[in-house]
Amino acid sequence: MRALAVDHTSPGHLSLTDVPDPRPAAHEALVRVEAVSLNFGEVFHGAADPATPDGTVLGWDAAGVVVRAAADGSGPAEGERVVTLGEAGWAELRATPATLLGTAPKDTDPGALSTIPVAGLSALHVLRRMGSLLGRRVLVTGASGGVGRYAVQLAARAGAHVVAVSRDPAQADGLRALGAHEVHAEPAAVKQPVSAVLDNVGGQQLVDAFALLAADGTLFSVGRSAGTDSVLTADALVGTEGRHDRSIRTFFLFSDPATDYSADLTWLAGEIAAGRLDPGISWRGPWTRHSEAVGALLDGRLRGKAVLDLQQP
């Protein structure tokens, strides 16, 4: 089969090449991949990392159709359209267990589905950890990115007053259309405390967002796109105006490999299919143009998700 494999001599550190077909275990379905989406983490810490060996096939997010159901009877049947999470997704075929597969209506755009796994699941699971959001102020940094856009939409639907932070002023109207009640260029511009923070940026934005937390508030560190350290001074940890007992929690989608994401993937896919969630695709093209998408992502020019459509023979 064809796959996008790490190649440090090529633009974007990737090239299309032939690799062996996957050999599904009894609990895995074989999926013909139709579209994949890119994430900053897998591109920056994977493809662009000199330590990643040439020939490695990466890719967390992919959508397609089941061509062979799992031998043990778990998961979707042959012919089902699915959204998948895992590894080695940038390829024509992917072997995936039922716990990492969600089903979708057959007419759902596979490109839209491919944006769901990392971005949609991360936003959904962090917001759940915040507890009830009804009437609470929730801050989302990196709001114009993949996780951020899903977080803004889901938090607004849960009844939160959503405070979005995006350094790109051109994104303000779009974020308001997704449900944001306030849009700011940086956390330091926010005037009122917030109950919870979903931080996709790290660096100084994490520090400034932490300073906004109300008493008993929690900041969830999801991404670190700033690429700089977050330095909290002693004064920052003391808190002001009675705002104490604040905390910082980290989140990583793959921290527990036993987690069953199938129901959440299916629900998110249904919301995409019904038009109740916007996948936020801002770049799309055939996977032969992968270097353009990677360049836009690494240079910080991408807002939302980049999707690659596979060219099937």
Side-chain angles (χ1 to χ4, degrees), residues 219-254:
L219 181 149
F220 293 84
S221 175
V222 179
R224 288 153 289 281
S225 62
T228 56
D229 292 336
S230 302
V231 181
L232 291 161
T233 66
D235 288 343
L237 295 173
V238 171
T240 59
E241 301 174 0
R243 290 189 277 124
H244 302 292
D245 298 323
R246 300 165 299 154
S247 61
I248 296 176
R249 292 179 60 181
T250 57
F251 176 83
F252 182 58
L253 190 63
F254 300 100

Side-chain angles (χ1 to χ4, degrees), residues 6 37-38 50 58 89 103 116 123 128 133 153 165 196 209 221 239 258 262 265 270 276 308-309:
V6 174
S37 71
L38 308 183
L58 303 171
T103 59
I116 290 173
R128 283 177 178 166
L133 301 181
Q153 295 176 79
V165 172
S221 175
S262 58
L265 286 168
R276 289 188 290 267
L308 301 177
D309 293 301

Side-chain angles (χ1 to χ4, degrees), residues 8 10 67 101 119 157 201 208 232 276 290:
H8 293 297
S10 297
V67 293
L101 280 171
R157 287 176 57 175
V201 179
D208 293 340
L232 291 161
R276 289 188 290 267
H290 56 83

Side-chain angles (χ1 to χ4, degrees), residues 150 153-154 157 178 267-279:
Y150 274 117
Q153 295 176 79
L154 292 170
R157 287 176 57 175
L178 293 179
W267 181 79
L268 289 165
E271 296 302 290
I272 287 286
R276 289 188 290 267
L277 281 177
D278 182 344

Side-chain angles (χ1 to χ4, degrees), residues 163-191:
V163 182
V165 172
S166 174
R167 289 172 291 186
D168 184 355
Q171 299 300 309
D173 289 344
L175 289 170
R176 290 191 181 95
L178 293 179
H181 298 81
E182 303 175 31
V183 182
H184 302 276
E186 55 188 16
V190 180
K191 302 303 181 185

Side-chain angles (χ1 to χ4, degrees), residues 8-303:
H8 293 297
T9 67
S10 297
H13 304 273
L14 296 167
S15 64
L16 274 169
T17 187
D18 292 317
V19 300
D21 289 1
R23 305 177 74 174
H27 68 292
E28 294 178 324
L30 187 65
V31 176
R32 184 181 75 246
V33 176
E34 297 174 318
V36 302
S37 71
L38 308 183
N39 296 283
F40 181 83
E42 65 199 346
V43 172
F44 182 77
H45 298 292
D49 186 345
T52 304
D54 282 350
T56 303
V57 179
L58 303 171
W60 296 329
D61 298 346
V65 174
V66 175
V67 293
R68 189 190 311 158
D72 67 0
S74 62
E78 180 179 333
E80 290 264 28
R81 184 171 297 284
V82 292
V83 53
T84 71
L85 173 69
E87 299 179 348
W90 296 343
E92 290 177 320
L93 295 170
R94 180 183 222 181
T96 312
T99 56
L100 301 180
L101 280 171
T103 59
K106 291 186 182 298
D107 60 350
T108 311
D109 174 18
L113 292 175
S114 74
T115 69
I116 290 173
V118 169
L121 286 174
S122 294
L124 181 64
H125 281 256
V126 169
L127 292 174
R128 283 177 178 166
R129 283 161 170 76
M130 293 179 183
S132 174
L133 301 181
L134 189 63
R136 300 171 66 196
R137 288 172 58 82
V138 174
L139 177 69
V140 179
T141 69
S144 57
V147 176
R149 288 177 58 89
Y150 274 117
V152 167
Q153 295 176 79
L154 292 170
R157 287 176 57 175
H161 179 100
V162 181
V163 182
V165 172
S166 174
R167 289 172 291 186
D168 184 355
Q171 299 300 309
D173 289 344
L175 289 170
R176 290 191 181 95
L178 293 179
H181 298 81
E182 303 175 31
V183 182
H184 302 276
E186 55 188 16
V190 180
K191 302 303 181 185
Q192 296 180 331
V194 298
S195 297
V197 176
L198 189 156
D199 176 51
N200 291 298
V201 179
Q204 187 61 42
Q205 287 212 17
L206 182 149
V207 176
D208 293 340
F210 181 75
L212 289 168
L213 281 176
D216 299 316
T218 302
L219 181 149
F220 293 84
S221 175
V222 179
R224 288 153 289 281
S225 62
T228 56
D229 292 336
S230 302
V231 181
L232 291 161
T233 66
D235 288 343
L237 295 173
V238 171
T240 59
E241 301 174 0
R243 290 189 277 124
H244 302 292
D245 298 323
R246 300 165 299 154
S247 61
I248 296 176
R249 292 179 60 181
T250 57
F251 176 83
F252 182 58
L253 190 63
F254 300 100
S255 59
D256 183 0
T259 302
D260 186 342
Y261 289 116
S262 58
D264 290 335
L265 286 168
T266 298
W267 181 79
L268 289 165
E271 296 302 290
I272 287 286
R276 289 188 290 267
L277 281 177
D278 182 344
I281 300 172
S282 58
W283 190 102
R284 188 168 187 174
W287 68 339
T288 53
R289 293 172 54 195
H290 56 83
S291 61
E292 297 176 42
V294 169
L297 189 60
L298 293 179
D299 293 345
R301 293 182 281 112
L302 191 67
R303 299 293 181 265

